[in-house]
Tab-separated table of all heavy atoms in Angstrom:
chain	number	residue	atom	x	y	z
A	1	MET	N	0.811	-1.180	-0.014
A	1	MET	CA	-0.010	0.004	-0.010
A	1	MET	C	0.879	1.264	-0.003
A	1	MET	O	0.697	2.129	-0.819
A	1	MET	CB	-0.937	-0.058	1.198
A	1	MET	CG	-1.803	1.155	1.367
A	1	MET	SD	-2.903	0.889	2.766
A	1	MET	CE	-4.207	1.942	2.286
A	2	PHE	N	1.819	1.369	0.922
A	2	PHE	CA	2.675	2.543	1.030
A	2	PHE	C	4.060	2.296	0.416
A	2	PHE	O	4.891	3.192	0.455
A	2	PHE	CB	2.841	2.953	2.497
A	2	PHE	CG	1.611	3.454	3.106
A	2	PHE	CD1	0.874	2.661	3.982
A	2	PHE	CD2	1.139	4.713	2.846
A	2	PHE	CE1	-0.307	3.111	4.583
A	2	PHE	CE2	-0.006	5.216	3.438
A	2	PHE	CZ	-0.742	4.388	4.296
A	3	ALA	N	4.283	1.109	-0.133
A	3	ALA	CA	5.604	0.742	-0.605
A	3	ALA	C	6.134	1.704	-1.656
A	3	ALA	O	7.322	2.070	-1.625
A	3	ALA	CB	5.606	-0.689	-1.134
A	4	ALA	N	5.271	2.139	-2.560
A	4	ALA	CA	5.724	3.037	-3.633
A	4	ALA	C	6.190	4.375	-3.063
A	4	ALA	O	7.222	4.901	-3.471
A	4	ALA	CB	4.597	3.273	-4.625
A	5	ILE	N	5.495	4.864	-2.058
A	5	ILE	CA	5.906	6.137	-1.405
A	5	ILE	C	7.239	5.954	-0.695
A	5	ILE	O	8.119	6.821	-0.779
A	5	ILE	CB	4.816	6.590	-0.430
A	5	ILE	CG1	3.548	6.940	-1.200
A	5	ILE	CG2	5.293	7.794	0.383
A	5	ILE	CD1	2.320	7.157	-0.320
A	6	VAL	N	7.400	4.830	0.002
A	6	VAL	CA	8.638	4.559	0.712
A	6	VAL	C	9.796	4.464	-0.275
A	6	VAL	O	10.877	5.026	-0.040
A	6	VAL	CB	8.526	3.251	1.536
A	6	VAL	CG1	9.863	2.867	2.138
A	6	VAL	CG2	7.476	3.430	2.625
A	7	VAL	N	9.601	3.799	-1.400
A	7	VAL	CA	10.652	3.658	-2.379
A	7	VAL	C	11.040	5.037	-2.972
A	7	VAL	O	12.215	5.338	-3.132
A	7	VAL	CB	10.223	2.688	-3.505
A	7	VAL	CG1	11.188	2.709	-4.683
A	7	VAL	CG2	10.129	1.266	-2.940
A	8	LEU	N	10.059	5.876	-3.247
A	8	LEU	CA	10.321	7.221	-3.762
A	8	LEU	C	11.093	8.052	-2.763
A	8	LEU	O	12.053	8.759	-3.150
A	8	LEU	CB	9.015	7.917	-4.154
A	8	LEU	CG	8.346	7.415	-5.407
A	8	LEU	CD1	6.983	8.106	-5.594
A	8	LEU	CD2	9.196	7.650	-6.626
A	9	ILE	N	10.702	7.989	-1.525
A	9	ILE	CA	11.409	8.766	-0.474
A	9	ILE	C	12.833	8.252	-0.341
A	9	ILE	O	13.786	9.044	-0.202
A	9	ILE	CB	10.649	8.679	0.870
A	9	ILE	CG1	9.331	9.447	0.753
A	9	ILE	CG2	11.488	9.235	1.980
A	9	ILE	CD1	8.407	9.269	1.943
A	10	ARG	N	13.034	6.948	-0.404
A	10	ARG	CA	14.376	6.371	-0.306
A	10	ARG	C	15.259	6.826	-1.462
A	10	ARG	O	16.411	7.180	-1.272
A	10	ARG	CB	14.318	4.850	-0.243
A	10	ARG	CG	15.694	4.224	-0.058
A	10	ARG	CD	15.651	2.734	0.163
A	10	ARG	NE	14.713	2.064	-0.675
A	10	ARG	CZ	14.019	0.974	-0.338
A	10	ARG	NH1	14.161	0.450	0.851
A	10	ARG	NH2	13.187	0.435	-1.169
A	11	LYS	N	14.668	6.883	-2.674
A	11	LYS	CA	15.416	7.366	-3.859
A	11	LYS	C	15.778	8.830	-3.680
A	11	LYS	O	16.880	9.233	-4.025
A	11	LYS	CB	14.628	7.156	-5.111
A	11	LYS	CG	14.658	5.768	-5.673
A	11	LYS	CD	13.974	5.710	-6.996
A	11	LYS	CE	14.061	4.362	-7.607
A	11	LYS	NZ	13.432	4.293	-8.938
A	12	TYR	N	14.858	9.606	-3.199
A	12	TYR	CA	15.048	11.049	-3.039
A	12	TYR	C	16.116	11.357	-1.991
A	12	TYR	O	17.002	12.181	-2.201
A	12	TYR	CB	13.733	11.757	-2.670
A	12	TYR	CG	13.876	13.216	-2.434
A	12	TYR	CD1	14.037	14.099	-3.522
A	12	TYR	CD2	13.840	13.739	-1.170
A	12	TYR	CE1	14.168	15.444	-3.346
A	12	TYR	CE2	13.991	15.101	-0.960
A	12	TYR	CZ	14.141	15.949	-2.022
A	12	TYR	OH	14.273	17.288	-1.825
A	13	LEU	N	16.062	10.695	-0.835
A	13	LEU	CA	16.966	10.965	0.275
A	13	LEU	C	18.310	10.251	0.144
A	13	LEU	O	19.308	10.705	0.680
A	13	LEU	CB	16.341	10.533	1.606
A	13	LEU	CG	15.139	11.329	2.092
A	13	LEU	CD1	14.633	10.707	3.384
A	13	LEU	CD2	15.479	12.791	2.314
A	14	GLY	N	18.311	9.129	-0.531
A	14	GLY	CA	19.498	8.279	-0.555
A	14	GLY	C	19.385	7.269	0.574
A	14	GLY	O	18.700	7.494	1.577
A	15	GLN	N	20.070	6.148	0.409
A	15	GLN	CA	19.929	5.039	1.369
A	15	GLN	C	20.370	5.435	2.766
A	15	GLN	O	19.687	5.115	3.752
A	15	GLN	CB	20.772	3.856	0.875
A	15	GLN	CG	20.526	2.571	1.665
A	15	GLN	CD	19.117	2.042	1.493
A	15	GLN	OE1	18.561	2.068	0.386
A	15	GLN	NE2	18.533	1.513	2.543
A	16	LYS	N	21.487	6.159	2.919
A	16	LYS	CA	22.004	6.474	4.247
A	16	LYS	C	21.064	7.395	5.007
A	16	LYS	O	20.686	7.122	6.157
A	16	LYS	CB	23.378	7.143	4.114
A	16	LYS	CG	24.021	7.417	5.458
A	16	LYS	CD	25.395	7.998	5.285
A	16	LYS	CE	25.989	8.296	6.660
A	16	LYS	NZ	27.283	8.928	6.556
A	17	LYS	N	20.618	8.479	4.399
A	17	LYS	CA	19.702	9.416	5.069
A	17	LYS	C	18.344	8.746	5.322
A	17	LYS	O	17.722	8.999	6.375
A	17	LYS	CB	19.510	10.684	4.220
A	17	LYS	CG	20.739	11.548	4.206
A	17	LYS	CD	20.357	12.955	4.436
A	17	LYS	CE	21.591	13.798	4.341
A	17	LYS	NZ	21.706	14.695	5.422
A	18	PHE	N	17.899	7.940	4.374
A	18	PHE	CA	16.643	7.239	4.554
A	18	PHE	C	16.707	6.325	5.788
A	18	PHE	O	15.779	6.322	6.587
A	18	PHE	CB	16.312	6.410	3.307
A	18	PHE	CG	15.086	5.568	3.450
A	18	PHE	CD1	13.841	6.094	3.327
A	18	PHE	CD2	15.213	4.203	3.729
A	18	PHE	CE1	12.703	5.325	3.480
A	18	PHE	CE2	14.080	3.393	3.865
A	18	PHE	CZ	12.837	3.972	3.741
A	19	ASN	N	17.788	5.580	5.914
A	19	ASN	CA	17.944	4.661	7.074
A	19	ASN	C	17.991	5.450	8.376
A	19	ASN	O	17.437	4.997	9.394
A	19	ASN	CB	19.178	3.811	6.914
A	19	ASN	CG	18.980	2.693	5.906
A	19	ASN	OD1	17.860	2.346	5.540
A	19	ASN	ND2	20.079	2.157	5.404
A	20	GLN	N	18.645	6.618	8.378
A	20	GLN	CA	18.698	7.441	9.589
A	20	GLN	C	17.288	7.921	9.956
A	20	GLN	O	16.887	7.852	11.112
A	20	GLN	CB	19.612	8.650	9.377
A	20	GLN	CG	21.083	8.279	9.309
A	20	GLN	CD	21.934	9.456	8.892
A	20	GLN	OE1	21.455	10.477	8.375
A	20	GLN	NE2	23.240	9.340	9.101
A	21	LEU	N	16.541	8.397	8.976
A	21	LEU	CA	15.204	8.891	9.220
A	21	LEU	C	14.292	7.753	9.694
A	21	LEU	O	13.536	7.887	10.658
A	21	LEU	CB	14.636	9.527	7.947
A	21	LEU	CG	13.157	9.981	8.026
A	21	LEU	CD1	13.019	11.110	9.059
A	21	LEU	CD2	12.677	10.462	6.667
A	22	ARG	N	14.422	6.594	9.059
A	22	ARG	CA	13.612	5.435	9.399
A	22	ARG	C	13.909	5.012	10.851
A	22	ARG	O	12.988	4.731	11.595
A	22	ARG	CB	13.895	4.300	8.427
A	22	ARG	CG	13.109	3.045	8.676
A	22	ARG	CD	13.410	2.043	7.577
A	22	ARG	NE	12.832	0.793	7.923
A	22	ARG	CZ	13.499	-0.253	8.463
A	22	ARG	NH1	14.793	-0.161	8.686
A	22	ARG	NH2	12.877	-1.367	8.782
A	23	GLY	N	15.175	5.005	11.232
A	23	GLY	CA	15.532	4.654	12.588
A	23	GLY	C	14.961	5.600	13.621
A	23	GLY	O	14.479	5.196	14.661
A	24	LYS	N	15.006	6.894	13.298
A	24	LYS	CA	14.455	7.899	14.211
A	24	LYS	C	12.945	7.726	14.373
A	24	LYS	O	12.391	7.826	15.458
A	24	LYS	CB	14.755	9.316	13.703
A	24	LYS	CG	16.190	9.694	13.873
A	24	LYS	CD	16.434	11.092	13.310
A	24	LYS	CE	17.936	11.423	13.402
A	24	LYS	NZ	18.216	12.741	12.844
A	25	LEU	N	12.266	7.437	13.242
A	25	LEU	CA	10.804	7.273	13.311
A	25	LEU	C	10.407	6.000	14.059
A	25	LEU	O	9.428	6.032	14.822
A	25	LEU	CB	10.231	7.262	11.901
A	25	LEU	CG	10.279	8.598	11.141
A	25	LEU	CD1	9.816	8.428	9.705
A	25	LEU	CD2	9.444	9.646	11.858
A	26	ILE	N	11.160	4.933	13.864
A	26	ILE	CA	10.879	3.710	14.595
A	26	ILE	C	11.099	3.904	16.095
A	26	ILE	O	10.280	3.485	16.921
A	26	ILE	CB	11.740	2.545	14.065
A	26	ILE	CG1	11.264	2.148	12.658
A	26	ILE	CG2	11.715	1.345	15.001
A	26	ILE	CD1	12.188	1.197	11.940
A	27	ALA	N	12.176	4.609	16.452
A	27	ALA	CA	12.461	4.883	17.887
A	27	ALA	C	11.344	5.774	18.480
A	27	ALA	O	10.888	5.527	19.613
A	27	ALA	CB	13.804	5.554	18.029
A	28	LEU	N	10.905	6.761	17.747
A	28	LEU	CA	9.826	7.635	18.218
A	28	LEU	C	8.533	6.851	18.430
A	28	LEU	O	7.863	7.011	19.451
A	28	LEU	CB	9.606	8.780	17.225
A	28	LEU	CG	8.477	9.739	17.551
A	28	LEU	CD1	8.808	10.487	18.850
A	28	LEU	CD2	8.295	10.751	16.417
A	29	HIS	N	8.231	5.955	17.503
A	29	HIS	CA	7.035	5.152	17.625
A	29	HIS	C	7.108	4.204	18.820
A	29	HIS	O	6.130	4.052	19.561
A	29	HIS	CB	6.796	4.367	16.332
A	29	HIS	CG	5.449	3.770	16.267
A	29	HIS	ND1	5.250	2.432	16.060
A	29	HIS	CD2	4.204	4.319	16.328
A	29	HIS	CE1	3.952	2.179	16.041
A	29	HIS	NE2	3.300	3.326	16.185
A	30	ALA	N	8.287	3.632	19.071
A	30	ALA	CA	8.439	2.766	20.236
A	30	ALA	C	8.291	3.565	21.529
A	30	ALA	O	7.717	3.065	22.501
A	30	ALA	CB	9.833	2.090	20.189
A	31	GLN	N	8.771	4.825	21.543
A	31	GLN	CA	8.596	5.662	22.704
A	31	GLN	C	7.129	5.980	22.974
A	31	GLN	O	6.678	5.990	24.132
A	31	GLN	CB	9.354	7.000	22.559
A	31	GLN	CG	10.850	6.857	22.644
A	31	GLN	CD	11.538	8.152	22.323
A	31	GLN	OE1	10.922	9.165	22.028
A	31	GLN	NE2	12.883	8.129	22.405
A	32	ILE	N	6.376	6.199	21.909
A	32	ILE	CA	4.953	6.456	22.060
A	32	ILE	C	4.224	5.265	22.633
A	32	ILE	O	3.393	5.377	23.511
A	32	ILE	CB	4.345	6.908	20.709
A	32	ILE	CG1	4.878	8.273	20.303
A	32	ILE	CG2	2.818	6.911	20.740
A	32	ILE	CD1	4.584	8.701	18.889
A	33	ILE	N	4.575	4.098	22.123
A	33	ILE	CA	3.985	2.869	22.646
A	33	ILE	C	4.329	2.687	24.101
A	33	ILE	O	3.475	2.333	24.933
A	33	ILE	CB	4.431	1.625	21.825
A	33	ILE	CG1	3.812	1.702	20.401
A	33	ILE	CG2	4.041	0.318	22.502
A	33	ILE	CD1	4.366	0.677	19.430
A	34	THR	N	5.603	2.970	24.470
A	34	THR	CA	6.027	2.851	25.868
A	34	THR	C	5.270	3.804	26.761
A	34	THR	O	4.795	3.440	27.844
A	34	THR	CB	7.557	3.093	25.966
A	34	THR	OG1	8.232	2.106	25.217
A	34	THR	CG2	8.024	3.039	27.410
A	35	ARG	N	5.085	5.048	26.332
A	35	ARG	CA	4.335	6.025	27.124
A	35	ARG	C	2.890	5.594	27.298
A	35	ARG	O	2.302	5.750	28.379
A	35	ARG	CB	4.393	7.412	26.470
A	35	ARG	CG	5.690	8.108	26.754
A	35	ARG	CD	5.621	9.566	26.317
A	35	ARG	NE	6.795	9.829	25.517
A	35	ARG	CZ	6.784	10.472	24.384
A	35	ARG	NH1	5.711	10.999	23.889
A	35	ARG	NH2	7.897	10.648	23.712
A	36	PHE	N	2.296	5.052	26.251
A	36	PHE	CA	0.943	4.561	26.294
A	36	PHE	C	0.820	3.458	27.356
A	36	PHE	O	-0.078	3.474	28.175
A	36	PHE	CB	0.503	4.049	24.915
A	36	PHE	CG	-0.853	3.446	24.894
A	36	PHE	CD1	-1.981	4.215	24.783
A	36	PHE	CD2	-1.003	2.062	24.974
A	36	PHE	CE1	-3.255	3.638	24.745
A	36	PHE	CE2	-2.266	1.455	24.954
A	36	PHE	CZ	-3.411	2.286	24.817
A	37	CYS	N	1.767	2.517	27.318
A	37	CYS	CA	1.743	1.395	28.262
A	37	CYS	C	1.978	1.892	29.685
A	37	CYS	O	1.334	1.416	30.634
A	37	CYS	CB	2.779	0.345	27.885
A	37	CYS	SG	2.362	-0.531	26.383
A	38	ASP	N	2.862	2.873	29.860
A	38	ASP	CA	3.079	3.443	31.197
A	38	ASP	C	1.833	4.152	31.708
A	38	ASP	O	1.464	4.010	32.884
A	38	ASP	CB	4.250	4.443	31.177
A	38	ASP	CG	5.594	3.744	30.982
A	38	ASP	OD1	5.659	2.511	31.162
A	38	ASP	OD2	6.559	4.458	30.652
A	39	ARG	N	1.185	4.852	30.826
A	39	ARG	CA	-0.011	5.603	31.213
A	39	ARG	C	-1.135	4.692	31.737
A	39	ARG	O	-1.845	5.037	32.655
A	39	ARG	CB	-0.519	6.400	29.996
A	39	ARG	CG	-1.867	7.048	30.165
A	39	ARG	CD	-1.702	8.516	30.535
A	39	ARG	NE	-2.934	9.220	30.354
A	39	ARG	CZ	-3.649	9.652	31.386
A	39	ARG	NH1	-3.241	9.468	32.614
A	39	ARG	NH2	-4.774	10.293	31.186
A	40	PHE	N	-1.277	3.522	31.092
A	40	PHE	CA	-2.332	2.611	31.475
A	40	PHE	C	-1.817	1.408	32.275
A	40	PHE	O	-2.497	0.397	32.384
A	40	PHE	CB	-3.090	2.150	30.230
A	40	PHE	CG	-3.840	3.271	29.572
A	40	PHE	CD1	-3.335	3.893	28.456
A	40	PHE	CD2	-5.024	3.735	30.118
A	40	PHE	CE1	-4.011	4.958	27.855
A	40	PHE	CE2	-5.710	4.777	29.522
A	40	PHE	CZ	-5.200	5.401	28.395
A	41	ALA	N	-0.633	1.549	32.820
A	41	ALA	CA	-0.016	0.526	33.719
A	41	ALA	C	0.003	-0.868	33.103
A	41	ALA	O	-0.337	-1.851	33.784
A	41	ALA	CB	-0.730	0.530	35.074
A	42	MET	N	0.393	-0.954	31.867
A	42	MET	CA	0.536	-2.247	31.190
A	42	MET	C	1.942	-2.790	31.433
A	42	MET	O	2.908	-2.009	31.486
A	42	MET	CB	0.294	-2.107	29.701
A	42	MET	CG	-1.091	-1.656	29.353
A	42	MET	SD	-1.231	-1.422	27.590
A	42	MET	CE	-2.852	-0.738	27.477
A	43	ASP	N	2.064	-4.073	31.566
A	43	ASP	CA	3.377	-4.643	31.875
A	43	ASP	C	4.236	-4.727	30.603
A	43	ASP	O	3.828	-4.455	29.494
A	43	ASP	CB	3.279	-5.998	32.576
A	43	ASP	CG	2.678	-7.086	31.693
A	43	ASP	OD1	2.405	-6.839	30.521
A	43	ASP	OD2	2.502	-8.203	32.235
A	44	ARG	N	5.500	-5.108	30.857
A	44	ARG	CA	6.520	-5.132	29.789
A	44	ARG	C	6.177	-6.065	28.628
A	44	ARG	O	6.436	-5.748	27.473
A	44	ARG	CB	7.848	-5.534	30.410
A	44	ARG	CG	9.035	-5.255	29.572
A	44	ARG	CD	10.319	-5.617	30.291
A	44	ARG	NE	10.961	-6.666	29.518
A	44	ARG	CZ	11.285	-7.859	29.955
A	44	ARG	NH1	11.122	-8.192	31.185
A	44	ARG	NH2	11.860	-8.743	29.161
A	45	THR	N	5.569	-7.196	28.925
A	45	THR	CA	5.236	-8.171	27.882
A	45	THR	C	4.180	-7.610	26.934
A	45	THR	O	4.255	-7.848	25.718
A	45	THR	CB	4.796	-9.504	28.489
A	45	THR	OG1	3.674	-9.304	29.340
A	45	THR	CG2	5.897	-10.172	29.263
A	46	ILE	N	3.254	-6.858	27.475
A	46	ILE	CA	2.231	-6.236	26.580
A	46	ILE	C	2.888	-5.211	25.692
A	46	ILE	O	2.606	-5.105	24.503
A	46	ILE	CB	1.081	-5.639	27.423
A	46	ILE	CG1	0.281	-6.726	28.118
A	46	ILE	CG2	0.161	-4.785	26.526
A	46	ILE	CD1	-0.767	-6.238	29.070
A	47	ARG	N	3.796	-4.415	26.278
A	47	ARG	CA	4.517	-3.393	25.511
A	47	ARG	C	5.295	-4.040	24.371
A	47	ARG	O	5.240	-3.607	23.211
A	47	ARG	CB	5.448	-2.574	26.400
A	47	ARG	CG	6.228	-1.521	25.624
A	47	ARG	CD	7.143	-0.749	26.524
A	47	ARG	NE	8.147	-1.558	27.144
A	47	ARG	CZ	9.344	-1.862	26.578
A	47	ARG	NH1	9.628	-1.428	25.406
A	47	ARG	NH2	10.208	-2.613	27.218
A	48	GLN	N	6.013	-5.130	24.678
A	48	GLN	CA	6.772	-5.842	23.632
A	48	GLN	C	5.849	-6.388	22.560
A	48	GLN	O	6.176	-6.338	21.367
A	48	GLN	CB	7.576	-6.978	24.278
A	48	GLN	CG	8.724	-6.492	25.108
A	48	GLN	CD	9.405	-7.600	25.860
A	48	GLN	OE1	8.796	-8.668	26.119
A	48	GLN	NE2	10.632	-7.402	26.248
A	49	HIS	N	4.710	-6.886	22.960
A	49	HIS	CA	3.731	-7.424	22.000
A	49	HIS	C	3.240	-6.273	21.069
A	49	HIS	O	3.142	-6.487	19.887
A	49	HIS	CB	2.556	-8.066	22.722
A	49	HIS	CG	1.462	-8.519	21.789
A	49	HIS	ND1	1.598	-9.589	20.932
A	49	HIS	CD2	0.251	-7.985	21.552
A	49	HIS	CE1	0.498	-9.718	20.228
A	49	HIS	NE2	-0.331	-8.761	20.591
A	50	LEU	N	2.949	-5.129	21.655
A	50	LEU	CA	2.484	-4.020	20.820
A	50	LEU	C	3.538	-3.540	19.864
A	50	LEU	O	3.232	-3.190	18.706
A	50	LEU	CB	2.027	-2.862	21.735
A	50	LEU	CG	0.753	-3.083	22.525
A	50	LEU	CD1	0.511	-1.933	23.510
A	50	LEU	CD2	-0.434	-3.274	21.601
A	51	ILE	N	4.804	-3.515	20.258
A	51	ILE	CA	5.900	-3.126	19.370
A	51	ILE	C	6.030	-4.110	18.238
A	51	ILE	O	6.188	-3.758	17.068
A	51	ILE	CB	7.222	-2.903	20.160
A	51	ILE	CG1	7.086	-1.660	21.042
A	51	ILE	CG2	8.400	-2.782	19.210
A	51	ILE	CD1	8.230	-1.458	22.007
A	52	ARG	N	5.979	-5.419	18.552
A	52	ARG	CA	6.027	-6.439	17.492
A	52	ARG	C	4.828	-6.328	16.556
A	52	ARG	O	4.973	-6.476	15.326
A	52	ARG	CB	6.026	-7.848	18.119
A	52	ARG	CG	7.388	-8.263	18.605
A	52	ARG	CD	7.386	-9.739	18.987
A	52	ARG	NE	8.383	-9.918	20.026
A	52	ARG	CZ	8.135	-10.131	21.297
A	52	ARG	NH1	6.912	-10.274	21.716
A	52	ARG	NH2	9.102	-10.269	22.166
A	53	LEU	N	3.662	-6.047	17.108
A	53	LEU	CA	2.468	-5.864	16.284
A	53	LEU	C	2.626	-4.681	15.326
A	53	LEU	O	2.276	-4.774	14.148
A	53	LEU	CB	1.246	-5.679	17.184
A	53	LEU	CG	-0.102	-5.528	16.501
A	53	LEU	CD1	-0.448	-6.809	15.742
A	53	LEU	CD2	-1.173	-5.244	17.549
A	54	ALA	N	3.186	-3.592	15.840
A	54	ALA	CA	3.416	-2.409	14.990
A	54	ALA	C	4.417	-2.750	13.881
A	54	ALA	O	4.223	-2.320	12.722
A	54	ALA	CB	3.958	-1.257	15.843
A	55	HIS	N	5.445	-3.526	14.183
A	55	HIS	CA	6.428	-3.923	13.179
A	55	HIS	C	5.751	-4.791	12.112
A	55	HIS	O	5.947	-4.572	10.897
A	55	HIS	CB	7.560	-4.695	13.856
A	55	HIS	CG	8.628	-5.107	12.926
A	55	HIS	ND1	8.660	-6.342	12.341
A	55	HIS	CD2	9.698	-4.429	12.452
A	55	HIS	CE1	9.723	-6.437	11.558
A	55	HIS	NE2	10.372	-5.297	11.603
A	56	ASP	N	4.952	-5.759	12.529
A	56	ASP	CA	4.259	-6.606	11.553
A	56	ASP	C	3.273	-5.852	10.686
A	56	ASP	O	3.158	-6.066	9.489
A	56	ASP	CB	3.516	-7.753	12.289
A	56	ASP	CG	4.472	-8.725	12.941
A	56	ASP	OD1	5.674	-8.743	12.605
A	56	ASP	OD2	3.991	-9.474	13.853
A	57	ASN	N	2.573	-4.901	11.305
A	57	ASN	CA	1.652	-4.038	10.521
A	57	ASN	C	2.404	-3.190	9.537
A	57	ASN	O	1.921	-2.988	8.397
A	57	ASN	CB	0.814	-3.164	11.440
A	57	ASN	CG	-0.264	-3.910	12.167
A	57	ASN	OD1	-0.680	-5.013	11.749
A	57	ASN	ND2	-0.722	-3.369	13.276
A	58	GLY	N	3.572	-2.663	9.915
A	58	GLY	CA	4.389	-1.890	8.999
A	58	GLY	C	4.839	-2.689	7.817
A	58	GLY	O	4.843	-2.217	6.681
A	59	LYS	N	5.206	-3.956	8.025
A	59	LYS	CA	5.568	-4.838	6.932
A	59	LYS	C	4.395	-5.030	5.990
A	59	LYS	O	4.506	-4.936	4.782
A	59	LYS	CB	6.024	-6.195	7.456
A	59	LYS	CG	7.397	-6.292	7.881
A	59	LYS	CD	7.728	-7.739	8.291
A	59	LYS	CE	9.111	-7.892	8.785
A	59	LYS	NZ	9.372	-9.267	9.205
A	60	ARG	N	3.238	-5.330	6.577
A	60	ARG	CA	2.035	-5.634	5.788
A	60	ARG	C	1.610	-4.411	4.947
A	60	ARG	O	1.150	-4.556	3.826
A	60	ARG	CB	0.916	-6.075	6.697
A	60	ARG	CG	-0.178	-6.805	5.956
A	60	ARG	CD	-1.159	-7.540	6.852
A	60	ARG	NE	-0.797	-7.555	8.258
A	60	ARG	CZ	-1.536	-7.058	9.222
A	60	ARG	NH1	-2.677	-6.466	8.968
A	60	ARG	NH2	-1.142	-7.120	10.483
A	61	LEU	N	1.751	-3.204	5.512
A	61	LEU	CA	1.340	-2.009	4.789
A	61	LEU	C	2.375	-1.525	3.802
A	61	LEU	O	2.094	-0.625	3.027
A	61	LEU	CB	1.031	-0.881	5.810
A	61	LEU	CG	-0.193	-1.098	6.674
A	61	LEU	CD1	-0.262	-0.007	7.749
A	61	LEU	CD2	-1.440	-1.117	5.830
A	62	GLY	N	3.552	-2.110	3.848
A	62	GLY	CA	4.585	-1.701	2.895
A	62	GLY	C	5.480	-0.585	3.408
A	62	GLY	O	6.243	-0.003	2.635
A	63	LEU	N	5.381	-0.236	4.674
A	63	LEU	CA	6.184	0.828	5.206
A	63	LEU	C	7.632	0.440	5.387
A	63	LEU	O	8.516	1.275	5.535
A	63	LEU	CB	5.604	1.333	6.551
A	63	LEU	CG	4.214	1.947	6.451
A	63	LEU	CD1	3.637	2.217	7.855
A	63	LEU	CD2	4.275	3.229	5.657
A	64	LEU	N	7.929	-0.862	5.396
A	64	LEU	CA	9.292	-1.340	5.576
A	64	LEU	C	9.865	-1.819	4.235
A	64	LEU	O	10.782	-2.620	4.225
A	64	LEU	CB	9.322	-2.459	6.614
A	64	LEU	CG	8.810	-2.079	7.985
A	64	LEU	CD1	8.811	-3.304	8.903
A	64	LEU	CD2	9.615	-0.956	8.573
A	65	ALA	N	9.381	-1.256	3.150
A	65	ALA	CA	9.829	-1.672	1.814
A	65	ALA	C	11.276	-1.349	1.576
A	65	ALA	O	11.808	-0.434	2.083
A	65	ALA	CB	8.966	-1.046	0.744
């Protein structure tokens, strides 16, 4: 679904800058998930499950192309 956009952005930025941006966005998303879990007093295993779920959804949507 989003794979074409990801490929275009990677071509525009270049592989190195793209990987840096991607790493920052993944870290930011993991922080948001962690804050959510802290806010609702969810344990570590639930947080890990949510991060894995986000990763799997990203693959399915083409965000990790």
Side-chain angles (χ1 to χ4, degrees):
M1 178 176 206
F2 293 103
I5 295 169
V6 173
V7 170
L8 287 174
I9 292 171
R10 184 173 42 213
K11 279 186 177 182
Y12 178 75
L13 292 178
Q15 189 67 39
K16 184 177 179 183
K17 289 226 182 228
F18 175 79
N19 285 342
Q20 290 172 343
L21 176 64
R22 182 175 171 260
K24 287 178 184 178
L25 291 174
I26 290 170
L28 178 63
H29 193 236
Q31 288 174 0
I32 291 168
I33 291 170
T34 298
R35 281 191 230 136
F36 176 83
C37 290
D38 289 345
R39 171 98 166 109
F40 294 101
M42 297 177 186
D43 67 3
R44 195 177 119 237
T45 56
I46 293 174
R47 180 180 61 86
Q48 289 172 337
H49 175 72
L50 290 173
I51 291 172
R52 279 190 209 107
L53 183 63
H55 183 264
D56 292 343
N57 286 339
K59 276 184 182 178
R60 198 167 354 118
L61 292 172
L63 296 171
L64 301 177

